[in-house]
Amino acid sequence: MARLVMKFGGTSVADIDRIRNVARHVKREVAAGHEVAVVVSAMAGTTNRLVDWCREAASLHDAREYDAVVASGEQISAGLLAITLESMGINARSWQGWQLPIRTSDAHGSARILEVNGAELIKRFKERGEVAVIAGFQGVHAETGRITTLGRGGSDTSAVAVAAAIGADRCDIYTDVDGVYTTDPRVVSKARRLDKIAYEEMLELASLGAKVLQVRSVELGMVHNVRIFVRSSFDEPDSIDPHAAPPGTFICGEEEIVEQQVVTGIAFSKDEAQISIRRVADKPGVAAAIFGPLADAGINVDMIVQNVSADGATTDLTFTVPAADYERATGVLNGARAKIGFERLDGATDVAKVSVIGVGMRSHAGVAAKAFKALAEHRINIRAITTSEIKFSLLIDANYTELAVRTLHSLYDLDK
Ligand code: ADP
Ligand code: ASP
Ligand code: MG
């Protein structure tokens, strides 16, 4: 007997038929004698609609009320799955974030999980053989008692946090692809499924654009040593042997990966904007004058490139911010113009960041240099570069994203 968390994303619970399919997956594991906690997302499209309604009601709105609205999607799917399970003769009960509770910070809209109480769930596994159906994405702030949400894609994080809290043997993330691929399989048809990927690599893939897992879920998994397994919810539930290893990807420690490639995967993100500050004074304190106000405004700055000044007096500085923060960032900088002192501010939102990831880069030189040459041959211009121990990222024109990803995918032998 094992204790399992089974998480199902939006497309997996998109309608009643799919919820029935999910229930059959759950039934299979229960019949195999396992203790099961299920975490569900809102039905596909629901959260987007709720977010749109908030914006329509008022473009600037209280984040506490945003959470009150958007958390409701998961309440519906949790209740529907519990009803479906009961109708199939399986003991089940739904749980909202505040009922468990899943305690979070008060950062409404992107709250962090502080603590999950799994005691009641375990008691019910033992006493009633009851399946817990938990609404993902939501929690509660202990002091105010208000509902919080964990940021888009947050049900993954709910699942891993519940797995840690109940000491689950495995956290299965059922989704609309059958594992983690070398790059987004919807964009590159030659993408290959990975049997295993190290936490650190998955962390980079997720934070650099692969939305198959929310970044925070990977962090939590790494800290609490949760065995995360990404697999498909669209396989025929009854044809799966609950005791055999199904197709999917294990997120695990680096030491568990025997055949290590130099490059493991490629991520990309079009949600980037570039800002260039022209002819800014080249003197101490200027970077602080620029990035201080951006940090105060809660804007995350990513790639930073500063030219060496030619005349010793002024220089150009380029960096990226999330596309959603572009207008706000230029507003902040123009507001601080007198203090910073620059000639001109240029920006572009039609840019994309392509990142190459692999723990093997630690021990191999010249990995990035190969990419520069290959992209140059396709006449793809690189606007900015950043590197770290296990990844490098390139900023390019958004039009070339797919071409660049495919080129790099072949270059690093990731094609079949
Ligand atoms: P869910 O609703 O189940 O949470 P998501 O849409 O959040 O599912 O995440 C799954 C999607 O992630 C896939 O459909 C795929 O397009 C995308 N994706 C991006 N990069 C990858 C990758 N490297 N491997 C697998 N899927 C990826
Ligand atoms: N329903 C939420 C979203 O769409 C959370 C999730 O699906 O993980 O972002
Ligand atoms: Mg998701």
Side-chain angles (χ1 to χ4, degrees):
M1 187 209 69
R3 186 173 289 166
L4 301 179
V5 169
M6 305 173 73
K7 181 260 172 179
F8 294 89
T11 33
S12 310
V13 294
D15 53 38
I16 301 298
D17 266 348
R18 296 228 176 127
I19 290 179
R20 243 176 234 134
N21 200 58
V22 165
R24 286 163 63 212
H25 278 293
V26 174
K27 185 174 183 179
R28 178 190 67 235
E29 303 298 343
V30 171
H34 301 321
E35 295 175 341
V36 179
V38 190
V39 174
V40 285
S41 292
M43 297 161 90
T46 300
T47 310
N48 283 345
R49 192 166 61 243
L50 296 170
V51 170
D52 288 346
W53 279 344
C54 290
R55 288 206 191 110
E56 222 179 285
S59 57
L60 277 179
H61 46 254
D62 191 317
R64 286 166 294 194
E65 302 310 341
Y66 166 93
D67 277 352
V69 175
V70 300
S72 64
E74 273 69 10
Q75 173 159 350
I76 296 171
S77 43
L80 288 174
L81 178 58
I83 290 175
T84 311
L85 286 167
E86 292 260 276
S87 77
M88 289 165 60
I90 297 164
N91 230 351
R93 188 57 66 221
S94 73
W95 297 89
Q96 305 301 301
W98 60 268
Q99 288 173 312
L100 225 42
I102 296 179
R103 279 188 49 235
T104 73
S105 69
D106 65 351
H108 284 277
S110 58
R112 286 172 77 90
I113 295 180
L114 302 174
E115 189 190 272
V116 178
N117 186 349
E120 183 63 23
L121 301 187
I122 295 172
K123 190 165 153 238
R124 286 167 181 245
F125 290 153
K126 300 287 174 222
E127 289 176 2
R128 318 184 190 182
E130 188 176 279
V131 172
V133 184
I134 300 154
F137 185 51
Q138 36 159 287
V140 62
H141 179 236
E143 277 93 283
T144 58
R146 299 214 62 94
I147 292 174
T148 54
T149 62
L150 309 177
R152 299 307 304 270
S155 297
D156 298 325
T157 304
S158 310
V160 175
V162 167
I166 64 172
D169 298 286
R170 217 171 64 220
C171 180
D172 283 349
I173 306 286
Y174 287 82
T175 183
D176 55 8
V177 282
D178 62 357
V180 177
Y181 279 67
T182 46
T183 191
D184 191 338
R186 297 192 194 287
V187 173
V188 179
S189 58
K190 287 180 176 167
R192 273 185 307 114
R193 190 182 66 230
L194 298 159
D195 289 334
K196 291 178 176 179
I197 182 170
Y199 287 112
E200 283 181 52
E201 292 172 319
M202 191 63 233
L203 210 52
E204 295 285 6
L205 264 184
S207 58
L208 294 166
K211 71 165 185 168
V212 59
L213 287 174
Q214 199 197 31
V215 181
R216 184 76 187 121
S217 71
V218 187
E219 268 170 19
L220 270 185
M222 191 159 137
V223 171
H224 296 286
N225 244 311
V226 176
R227 287 186 76 72
I228 303 173
F229 186 61
V230 180
R231 58 191 292 184
S232 169
S233 70
F234 296 140
D235 294 333
E236 177 54 33
D238 308 318
S239 68
I240 298 169
D241 176 357
H243 301 291
T249 305
F250 259 116
I251 323 294
C252 59
E254 228 177 278
E255 66 288 348
E256 283 187 58
I257 298 172
V258 193
E259 253 181 277
Q260 189 68 67
Q261 297 234 331
V262 179
V263 169
T264 305
I266 296 173
F268 55 90
S269 159
K270 293 183 182 173
D271 300 325
E272 308 285 323
Q274 175 190 332
I275 296 177
S276 295
I277 305 184
R278 307 292 181 198
R279 295 183 68 81
V280 58
D282 192 13
K283 61 174 194 220
V286 163
I290 293 170
F291 298 120
L294 290 173
D296 291 344
I299 297 170
N300 251 328
V301 174
D302 182 25
M303 309 173 95
I304 304 177
V305 187
Q306 183 181 341
N307 290 343
V308 175
S309 118
D311 54 6
T314 64
T315 184
D316 289 350
L317 205 135
T318 293
F319 54 88
T320 61
V321 296
D325 291 333
Y326 175 70
E327 302 288 340
R328 230 156 42 86
T330 52
V332 165
L333 292 168
N334 279 319
R337 181 167 186 169
K339 208 165 159 217
I340 304 168
F342 57 85
E343 190 185 284
R344 206 173 74 238
L345 208 147
D346 296 333
T349 49
D350 52 351
V351 294
K353 182 170 65 179
V354 176
S355 306
V356 176
I357 296 136
V359 288
M361 279 188 216
R362 283 203 194 106
S363 48
H364 285 80
V367 182
K370 262 172 83 172
F372 306 152
K373 185 157 171 276
L375 295 185
E377 280 162 9
H378 283 93
R379 312 204 58 75
I380 299 173
N381 186 40
I382 301 170
R383 293 164 170 253
I385 303 168
T386 52
T387 63
S388 78
E389 211 187 10
I390 65 163
K391 68 120 208 284
F392 65 89
S393 299
L394 310 172
L395 192 70
I396 61 169
D397 288 354
N399 285 338
Y400 292 113
T401 314
E402 282 79 14
L403 177 61
V405 173
R406 272 188 267 119
T407 302
L408 298 174
H409 199 267
S410 315
L411 180 71
Y412 294 111
D413 293 329
L414 298 174
D415 293 354
K416 269 188 188 104

